[in-house]
Amino acid sequence: MNIRRVAWALGLLFLLTGCDALFQQMEKPEGRDDHPALDVLNPLEVPADPALSQHSDEFRREIIQVTDRVYVAVGYALANSILIVGEGGNIVVDATESPEVARALRVEFDRIAPAPLAGLIYTHNHGDHTFGAGGMVGSDQPEVLGHEDTEALVRRVVGMLNPTLSRRAARMFGSSLNGPAFENAGIGPELKLSPNRDIQFLPPTQTVSDRLEVTIAGVRMLLVHAPGETDDQIYVYLPDDGVLLPGDNFYRAFPNLYTIRGTPYRSLEGWTASLDAMIAHKPEHLVPSHTRPISGAEQIAEALTQYRDAIQFVHDQAVRAINSGASPDSLLELELPETLAESPYLQSFYGRPGWSARAVYSGYLGWFNGNPTGLDPLGEAERAENWVRMAGGVDALVTEAMRAWSKAEYRWILHISDAVLQVAPEHQTMKTLRSNALVRLGAASSNPNQRHYYLVAAQQMNSPGAGVLPPNEALLERIPMEDLLRILRVRLDPEKAAGVDVTVRLEFDDGGVFDMQVRNSVLVVHSEKKLRSPDVVVKGSRRDIKLVLGGVKNVIAATTISGELTIERGSRVSLLNFLTLFASGS
């Protein structure tokens, strides 16, 4: 809408309503809420798009024999687990996200080839490939192989960004959806998470930098660093079997060149180079870590070629558009050419070309879109108030949203509600319109990530914590103390910490120590005694101190009732005051 049209509309509104009435409306942006009541749509009653339902056949639960000694378990968890039968021992590639599922799979694998586990290989750091490792290994002591960066990347995922990643992953994977609302997760049946979830990642005992030729239990393998979905991605090639295990650099869906749960930039050029390297092996069998295997050299070559060409197309055309002055949002409209869009391996059941193109913009150019308005913009709340006032108040916008609802303009309703709910966050009619629009958009989407995000967002409008799992003892016990203190750093509330200068020493019963100081609204941490005279000294086991710092255990109970922690200097009140400087991780 241009300035002349806005002026004309405002002038007409003056004539129709009178100046006094208009100014009275503008002074009350919160508006009234006496609009006709709307039926609230239930996100759990939304059946899946037929194309997404048909895609579920890709995850029929079974263990598929690929060659004489290669088997893949499909449909047991979000990621596949691959068994390679060796001489006197077996190798497993990827261990699922769940120790419970991994233990059950190990029983199935032992029925096929009863032998100790000689090797466990991670194709990359993602939890659906690594967190079940302890359950898969059991009492065996295999060689654990992965890229040299895998362990650090696992620690980052469960570290200081965990609250945000967990919230967004809960939406993306539909963690709180069930019944007809949940069909599949696009690359697997579902991500198996529970409130008592555990992380049983085992650090690699042997790492890959670029290439590693290794023989385990008589099986020759080539492990090659192949950046793609992650920077630490590797593929595994069995030259004596003609079998290629591409990890997550290929699966039967358009790839997540960007994931809406949040991720650092994934290099599209690096991904195409990795696929070129895999194509060069001319494999007879392709066994991805998601979706079903493919056999036949010609079919595999075609699938991998289409995949790498689609990724290059998105990269090249996104850059071309950027150089032509395209905005980040306009890149969301990018679509594949017909020859690629029709490929069964490139349907948008996981990633989407437009999301990926927008990520290319931020990956190369960062947050600034080149528009000078963005250098020092008005805050979101102030912008919303201005838009509401210019539109004639909340009631006018709600009326427009009701019109949009009648015309099935659901995306427009989301834009309207962004402004209205900033100004009037408890406006029930607008909340219902937004929730219902989210449900309708989710119902129309065959991309499960998008579908789940819409539906869970609608669900969370009435139940904010739906799908979000709080920290538990098992998780906190496995997080290194250094990582937990980094998490604590980013939870410091600067307003509560304003003018505060307080020091705390943590002394562990194993002899370790950390000194912490809050000053200048930051938390400074030292892994040694740096403070001459700390205000508070706390002693106890690493486990018990972690549980208190992570909010699982109450500090008063831990220092009085159970006595797990002792205050050697200062007081319980001083320690409690220190901990209140930090926001919860939810």
Side-chain angles (χ1 to χ4, degrees):
M1 182 177 290
N2 59 36
I3 294 175
R4 288 185 180 179
R5 288 183 178 177
V6 171
W8 180 86
L10 288 174
L12 180 61
L13 195 57
F14 266 68
L15 292 173
L16 294 175
T17 64
C19 298
D20 291 342
L22 178 61
F23 282 119
Q24 185 178 22
Q25 177 65 49
M26 288 183 172
E27 290 170 359
K28 297 181 179 179
E30 70 278 1
R32 63 188 190 279
D33 195 3
D34 56 0
H35 298 270
L38 292 169
D39 291 333
V40 179
L41 301 180
N42 186 350
L44 298 180
E45 296 177 353
V46 179
D49 179 274
L52 182 59
S53 297
Q54 185 176 357
H55 188 56
S56 289
D57 188 57
E58 190 71 21
F59 315 117
R60 300 189 311 275
R61 178 179 290 200
E62 63 179 309
I63 296 178
I64 301 169
Q65 183 172 4
V66 181
T67 68
D68 288 344
R69 60 179 177 183
V70 177
Y71 300 77
V72 56
V74 177
Y76 287 81
L78 185 69
N80 299 338
S81 192
I82 301 160
L83 170 68
I84 304 169
V85 179
E87 299 170 4
N90 298 327
I91 304 107
V92 166
V93 178
D94 290 337
T96 82
E97 72 269 17
S98 163
E100 293 78 15
V101 172
R103 279 192 286 271
L105 269 179
R106 179 63 191 276
V107 171
E108 297 295 326
F109 288 164
D110 285 347
R111 287 183 182 139
I112 294 169
L117 198 62
L120 173 65
I121 300 173
Y122 301 131
T123 57
H124 60 294
N125 71 87
H126 283 170
D128 54 320
H129 301 253
T130 60
F131 288 175
M136 182 66 72
V137 167
S139 61
D140 294 337
Q141 295 183 318
E143 193 82 16
V144 181
L145 299 95
H147 188 262
E148 60 187 6
D149 293 335
T150 293
E151 182 177 4
L153 291 171
V154 168
R155 290 176 60 176
R156 184 187 68 184
V157 168
V158 299
M160 60 184 180
L161 283 173
N162 183 259
T164 292
L165 294 176
S166 294
R167 281 195 299 270
R168 289 169 62 153
R171 288 184 174 184
M172 171 176 151
F173 287 112
S175 300
S176 56
L177 301 178
N178 51 51
F182 189 89
E183 182 63 37
N184 63 65
I187 55 170
E190 64 178 318
L191 180 65
K192 296 183 181 297
L193 294 176
S194 69
N196 298 318
R197 70 201 187 285
D198 190 9
I199 292 174
Q200 294 191 6
F201 168 77
L202 300 175
T205 57
Q206 187 173 3
T207 60
V208 181
S209 174
D210 182 27
R211 295 167 63 90
L212 177 67
E213 294 186 37
V214 64
T215 299
I216 299 177
V219 180
R220 289 200 307 138
M221 295 179 289
L222 174 64
L223 280 59
V224 180
H225 182 213
E229 186 169 281
T230 62
D231 287 341
D232 68 323
Q233 196 89 201
I234 64 172
Y235 70 76
V236 181
Y237 181 59
L238 310 180
D240 297 331
D241 305 79
V243 174
L244 177 68
L245 315 181
D248 277 10
N249 280 349
F250 175 90
Y251 36 72
R252 194 182 181 96
F254 187 86
N256 248 354
L257 307 179
Y258 169 77
T259 176
I260 58 176
R261 70 177 178 271
T263 182
Y265 179 59
R266 296 171 171 179
S267 171
L268 275 62
E269 288 192 300
W271 203 325
T272 57
S274 296
L275 285 162
D276 283 335
M278 290 190 279
I279 291 168
H281 290 295
K282 299 180 180 178
E284 294 286 340
H285 305 279
L286 185 68
V287 188
S289 290
H290 294 282
T291 69
R292 304 176 84 77
I294 305 172
S295 292
E298 186 174 333
Q299 184 178 353
I300 291 169
E302 180 182 24
L304 292 176
T305 299
Q306 289 175 346
Y307 221 67
R308 62 90 55 217
D309 286 355
I311 295 171
Q312 182 180 332
F313 175 87
V314 169
H315 173 272
D316 293 356
Q317 294 308 309
V319 172
R320 176 173 174 268
I322 290 167
N323 287 334
S324 298
S327 69
D329 284 349
S330 69
L331 292 173
L332 289 168
E333 300 171 6
L334 182 70
E335 295 182 355
L336 295 178
E338 185 175 342
T339 53
L340 293 173
E342 294 176 350
S343 169
Y345 306 106
L346 292 169
Q347 300 308 298
S348 292
F349 292 126
Y350 204 50
R352 289 184 57 187
W355 293 346
S356 306
R358 202 188 193 292
V360 171
Y361 192 108
S362 60
Y364 279 137
L365 298 177
W367 64 267
F368 181 49
N369 66 3
N371 183 341
T373 303
L375 290 176
D376 190 18
L378 295 175
E380 287 185 356
E382 188 175 358
R383 288 202 306 272
E385 289 172 2
N386 288 341
W387 284 117
V388 170
R389 184 175 63 252
M390 189 178 73
V394 166
D395 294 329
L397 282 172
V398 174
T399 298
E400 169 60 13
M402 295 284 283
R403 182 208 63 79
W405 175 257
S406 70
K407 300 294 185 181
E409 297 171 0
Y410 305 126
R411 292 187 297 172
W412 177 225
I413 291 173
L414 296 189
H415 286 288
I416 296 172
S417 63
D418 282 342
V420 171
L421 295 178
Q422 278 275 358
V423 173
E426 297 306 318
H427 197 288
Q428 190 56 51
T429 300
M430 194 69 255
K431 289 175 69 175
T432 301
L433 281 164
R434 181 178 178 86
S435 176
N436 285 357
L438 289 167
V439 171
R440 290 288 194 227
L441 288 167
S445 178
S446 60
N447 180 292
N449 291 344
Q450 178 172 290
R451 170 185 168 84
H452 297 157
Y453 212 95
Y454 282 139
L455 295 181
V456 176
Q459 196 179 31
Q460 289 176 341
M461 291 194 70
N462 294 314
S463 303
V468 180
L469 300 177
N472 60 35
E473 292 190 20
L475 288 177
L476 286 172
E477 285 182 36
R478 294 182 185 277
I479 296 176
M481 183 61 71
E482 295 86 348
D483 290 357
L484 184 56
L485 294 178
R486 290 183 72 207
I487 295 172
L488 207 62
R489 279 174 37 203
V490 300
R491 291 185 184 171
L492 183 68
D493 185 326
E495 293 183 1
K496 292 180 180 178
V500 171
D501 191 335
V502 62
T503 55
V504 174
R505 174 170 294 160
L506 305 176
E507 293 187 355
F508 308 115
D509 52 16
D510 60 10
V513 64
F514 279 93
D515 274 0
M516 303 184 292
Q517 181 179 14
V518 171
R519 68 182 190 224
N520 298 321
S521 293
V522 296
L523 172 65
V524 181
V525 178
H526 306 284
S527 58
E528 55 186 286
K529 291 183 179 180
K530 284 281 189 178
L531 307 174
R532 290 185 178 180
S533 183
D535 298 311
V536 180
V537 177
V538 183
K539 284 191 174 182
S541 70
R542 288 180 183 264
R543 175 186 180 277
D544 292 325
I545 289 177
K546 283 182 187 179
L547 295 182
V548 168
L549 294 179
V552 171
K553 185 170 290 188
N554 181 280
V555 64
I556 300 299
T559 55
T560 56
I561 300 173
S562 62
E564 289 132 333
L565 304 185
T566 58
I567 309 295
E568 299 290 314
R569 180 183 295 171
S571 66
R572 296 182 185 90
V573 173
S574 299
L575 176 59
L576 185 60
N577 288 340
F578 173 79
L579 293 176
T580 59
L581 300 174
F582 304 90
S584 70
S586 60

